Amino acid sequence: MKTKGAPYAFLAPALVLFAAFLAAPIVYAGYLSLRRVKVSGLGLGAGARTEVWAGLGNYARSLTDPEFVPSVLRVGAYGLIVVPVMLGLALVMALLLDAGRTRVGTFARTSIFLPYAVPAVIASLLWGFLYLPRVSPIVDVLDRVGITAPDALSSSWVLYAVANIAVWGGTGFNMIVLYTALRAIPTDLFEAARIDGASDIQIALRIKIPVIGPSLVMTFLFSLIATLQVFAEPMTLRPLSNTISTTWTPLMKVYRDAFVRNDIYSAAATSVIIAAATFVISYGFLKLVGSRAFSQEN
Amino acid sequence: MAVDIAPVPVAARPAPKPAAFRRTSPTATVLLLLGAAYCLLPVLWVLVASTKSASELFNTFTFMPSTHLFDNIAFLSSYRDGLYWRWMVNSAVFAGGGAAVSTLVSAMAGFALAKYTFRGKSLVFNLVLAGVLVPAVILAVPQYLLLAKVGMTNTYWAVLLPSFISPYGIYLCRIFAAATVPNEVLEAARMDGANDWRAFVRVALPMMRSGLVTVFLFQFVAIWNNYMLPFIMLGDDKLFPVTVGLSGLLNQGATQPAMYTSVVTGAFLSIIPLVVLFLTLQRYWRVDLGAGAVKA
């Protein structure tokens, strides 16, 4: 195609929206994170409160906030549970479906994918009720055999309770992605191995998993990014549990600083830190695995 | 690499059939059924629970159904003159409108990135990738502060406008355009006197159709499921999507336990449209995330 301005015309809407809703907020957050309100006198009357440069004061305050570091560690622990469990389950289910040694494939695939249609808020609501001892069928069953089940929303279990919701919601989608990749492997890649007597498990470990490596990398990356921004699940569970604080995750702290404490400068600094950390972690991960994902094909 | 994978639709092998010469494996069947049971359990529960009256909800066996489904729906519908149904309509407007516009924007941008060479192409592509790696939800608070400056918070636009841009949608559309629209066909269209826009609308868009449905579904689900953006942007509960509305109802339940029945019934009704959408459009959920990497 030759018309000179054409590619720019096609890109224009995307670029305008990108500038307004992704680039501008980052720049504005960066600007706010370096500002603070200076109160002169009693802080009364016009001009008593003025915005001045704050240097890196907001960043120092964010990083040394006694609630910030625990929220980061909590999300780290949460990610260490969610990502391996969710992707492990997704991979096992995808391999089982792909091996084709069952008659319940379609039913299982549809059922496991179903939670993707349930928003995180609704999923948290459903599980939240199921965690309540008066509703939970698990507590009910354990009660009958004389075991007192632990309260899933108590402080020692709540991290697992939230992680379970994420695993429930995300396994199916990742399973479908991996299954799609598995279906695209040409049969002749492993038919020879099968004739030589290799078992399904050997074929899965030696041939299928290495071939779908790029898809595994991408599902890992997107799961990682989703984990770092956990917000809806703990926010929804809060009314059902008094063990989830208002700063339980870093994004919850941003919300509290901005809207409960009206400290938009500190919230902006924390937003910038989270955005930068997400970028560094995901970009670093891609470099680490040496993935050609996202490379330009031509 | 030899494996050339078109991202959508993947039709390399037919769906696996337990053919006569391949034994079925009880272990595989049991594991898959366990997985299915885990995923269906909460959905079954909400179906059963929405049939219970307020007094039964916490006092009868979890999976024992009752007969109050229509009472519950009627009560929920009467709550503040049908506010719940407004939330459902709002969700449909946000997700439907946002996904439609963002699919078109993504298709245009993806087409330009796949089919043209121009100055600044790598810069644009790298911006798109950076956008994929830094999800917009982290920017929700700065987006709010900016929109507050122009007085647009607490309007439909506050939720719709940020949904129109999807770096991941652009990324996918670029793959679809590269994989499904041959250069020769575009050249032929130009020979026939079509300008760039006509070539895009008449030739490229129809060829990218199944990929565009996938992008639309992705965005639709992402917006329908989004919580933080509308939660921050909207103050008037008449503008809430169903996710924000229901979590507000749950908060009220802490002081008025009778509201729990409405929350449960509302949750049940809210997942029906998406479940139907999923089951009818299942064949479009075949996106191969690794495709961009495998294609060398």
Side-chain angles (χ1 to χ4, degrees), chain A residues 3 21 101 135 164 182 229, chain B residues 13 25 38 62 137 143 196:
Chain A
T3 319
F21 296 103
R101 288 188 182 266
V135 177
N164 173 55
L182 285 170
Q229 43 172 319
Chain B
R13 281 188 280 150
S25 150
Y38 167 64
T62 315
V137 67
Q143 281 172 344
D196 294 76

Side-chain angles (χ1 to χ4, degrees), chain B residues 247-263:
Chain B
S247 89
L249 269 193
L250 182 68
N251 269 308
Q252 285 186 27
T255 48
Q256 304 163 257
M259 287 317 293
Y260 282 143
T261 314
S262 290
V263 174

Side-chain angles (χ1 to χ4, degrees), chain B residues 171-269:
Chain B
Y171 171 75
L172 284 179
C173 282
R174 190 194 61 110
I175 298 179
F176 297 143
T180 60
V181 186
N183 290 332
E184 299 76 35
V185 179
L186 289 177
E187 279 308 320
R190 286 184 63 79
M191 292 296 187
D192 293 344
N195 62 23
D196 294 76
W197 177 252
R198 276 181 69 91
F200 170 69
V201 173
R202 294 287 171 84
V203 178
L205 275 189
M207 291 180 135
M208 292 164 69
R209 192 177 54 221
S210 79
L212 294 180
V213 174
T214 305
V215 172
F216 178 86
L217 285 174
F218 252 119
Q219 255 318 76
F220 189 94
V221 172
I223 300 169
W224 183 282
N225 290 0
N226 197 345
Y227 172 72
M228 191 170 183
L229 185 73
F231 177 65
I232 286 178
M233 291 289 180
L234 305 172
D236 179 357
D237 63 10
K238 289 193 177 66
L239 303 180
F240 283 176
V242 73
T243 47
V244 179
L246 279 179
S247 89
L249 269 193
L250 182 68
N251 269 308
Q252 285 186 27
T255 48
Q256 304 163 257
M259 287 317 293
Y260 282 143
T261 314
S262 290
V263 174
V264 168
T265 309
F268 168 64
L269 294 174

